Amino acid sequence: MTDPNLVYAYAVLRRTPEAAVAVADLRGVAGDPVHLLEPTDPASPLAFAVGPVPAADYDEAPLKAHLDDLDWLESTVRSHHAVVGALVACGTAVLPLRLATVYPDEDHARQALDTRRAYFLSLLDRLTGHVELGVKIYAAPDIAPPESDTGTGQATPTGLGVGVGLGRAYLAIRRRRERRNEEAWRTVAQAAAHVTRTAGTLAVDRVAHTPQRGSLAGPAPGTNLGNDAYLVPVDRVDAFRTGVLAAAEGIPGLRVEVTGPWAPYSFALQPEPVPGHSSSLL
């Protein structure tokens, strides 16, 4: 009989007593216990943090259908991050995997651990003792990116009964406003670049994510100029936060948010697919 459950992998980590303690009381995205899955090679120091999930939700077709269910997605994301966060909080070096990384069974998961052993170990060595911090840079709501084409052909109040003088005055006022906005934008953009350079000197690596627009930007006002992730040594977290915020201090129209520390998702590359592996979709 086919097992109705799949194996959901949350993270790669080393098999240590601390790791075993960390997973002991964890529950996964489907509410089932999380445990360590060891590879077939007993000499390998690696393990997956895994838990069972129903194929009815996590097989390829139903998982694609769930992409349109925002409530389901939010609950799954929160549960996934809670497992990874609990592992990180226990001081375990963790290589977090993408949401909904699933395998048909434990044998396929073990095969992935064996096949990618050197790759996983090299990443764990690099990430050990480091966390991810996010830096988001915003321009104030009243500072907008300059229009690429100022010749919009927009009508000006120079029609009947208005007069040429009033039309010229309108254009002059508009141009002054555009110049002030351009100057403010230039100042903020230069300051944002300075913040980014400063953050880079305080971190060991950086991943530049696409600035957020529309609903993805959340409730924060203003234009998102920078949305980057930095890999920072644990003992430098406070210095990084202080240095980045100091670099933005006193710049009119500039706002900077430093988030984290998080598990280093942005710096954890994904394993190559193995036969029978249901690749993650997110």
Side-chain angles (χ1 to χ4, degrees), residues 215-259:
S215 60
L216 292 177
T223 302
N224 183 205
L225 298 177
N227 178 31
D228 298 344
Y230 294 86
L231 189 64
V232 180
V234 172
D235 59 0
R236 276 198 245 157
V237 168
D238 290 340
F240 179 91
R241 192 185 307 275
T242 300
V244 169
L245 294 178
E249 192 172 357
I251 307 298
L254 184 75
R255 184 169 58 83
V256 172
E257 294 179 358
V258 180
T259 61

Side-chain angles (χ1 to χ4, degrees), residues 154-172:
Q154 188 174 6
T156 58
T158 57
L160 294 176
V162 177
V164 175
L166 183 56
R168 288 175 177 169
Y170 169 85
L171 289 175

Side-chain angles (χ1 to χ4, degrees), residues 16 19 21 26 41 52 61 70 79 84 96-97 115-116 123 142 158 161 163 170 207 217 225:
T16 64
V21 170
L26 293 181
D41 181 1
L70 295 182
S79 298
V84 174
L97 299 176
T115 302
R116 304 293 284 163
L123 279 175
D142 58 342
T158 57
Y170 169 85
V207 171
L225 298 177

Side-chain angles (χ1 to χ4, degrees), residues 9 49 51 67 74 82 85 93 103 112 125 129 149 155 164 170 186 189 192-193 220 223 226-227 252 258 266 272:
L67 292 178
E74 182 178 2
Y103 296 90
D125 287 341
D149 180 12
V164 175
Y170 169 85
R186 191 178 305 113
T223 302
N227 178 31
V258 180
S266 298
E272 293 177 355

Side-chain angles (χ1 to χ4, degrees), residues 3-258:
D3 190 339
N5 288 327
L6 303 173
V7 175
Y8 187 115
Y10 297 89
V12 183
L13 61 167
R14 290 186 176 88
R15 289 188 287 123
T16 64
E18 293 79 12
V21 170
V23 301
D25 298 320
L26 293 181
R27 296 275 171 171
V29 296
D32 289 308
V34 176
H35 65 278
L36 294 183
L37 179 68
E38 300 180 3
T40 55
D41 181 1
S44 173
L46 296 176
F48 269 146
V50 303
V53 290
D57 281 325
Y58 287 90
D59 216 347
E60 186 172 359
L63 189 55
K64 286 182 178 178
H66 279 312
L67 292 178
D68 295 325
D69 186 343
L70 295 182
D71 291 336
W72 186 92
L73 274 178
E74 182 178 2
S75 175
T76 303
V77 168
R78 288 182 182 277
S79 298
H80 179 99
H81 289 339
V83 171
V84 174
L87 296 173
V88 173
C90 289
T92 303
V94 172
L95 180 62
L97 299 176
R98 291 178 65 188
L99 186 72
T101 298
V102 295
Y103 296 90
D105 51 47
E106 291 193 348
D107 287 340
H108 283 90
R110 289 190 177 96
Q111 182 182 352
L113 277 176
D114 290 337
T115 302
R116 304 293 284 163
R117 173 179 171 178
Y119 175 79
F120 286 144
L121 283 173
S122 66
L123 279 175
L124 278 172
D125 287 341
R126 179 171 180 259
L127 298 179
T128 296
H130 295 77
V131 292
E132 178 175 324
L133 291 171
V135 176
K136 293 187 177 183
I137 305 174
Y138 296 90
D142 58 342
I143 301 175
E147 295 180 6
S148 58
D149 180 12
T150 56
T152 61
Q154 188 174 6
T156 58
T158 57
L160 294 176
V162 177
V164 175
L166 183 56
R168 288 175 177 169
Y170 169 85
L171 289 175
I173 292 171
R174 179 177 171 181
R175 286 168 183 156
R176 280 199 298 270
R177 288 174 177 170
E178 289 174 350
R179 283 196 297 269
R180 284 197 298 268
N181 178 73
E182 289 171 0
E183 291 169 0
W185 180 264
R186 191 178 305 113
T187 298
V188 167
Q190 291 172 349
H194 173 63
V195 170
T196 299
R197 288 192 298 270
T198 300
T201 65
L202 298 170
V204 299
D205 201 359
R206 167 184 173 237
V207 171
H209 295 300
T210 302
Q212 296 174 325
R213 297 288 186 264
S215 60
L216 292 177
T223 302
N224 183 205
L225 298 177
N227 178 31
D228 298 344
Y230 294 86
L231 189 64
V232 180
V234 172
D235 59 0
R236 276 198 245 157
V237 168
D238 290 340
F240 179 91
R241 192 185 307 275
T242 300
V244 169
L245 294 178
E249 192 172 357
I251 307 298
L254 184 75
R255 184 169 58 83
V256 172
E257 294 179 358
V258 180

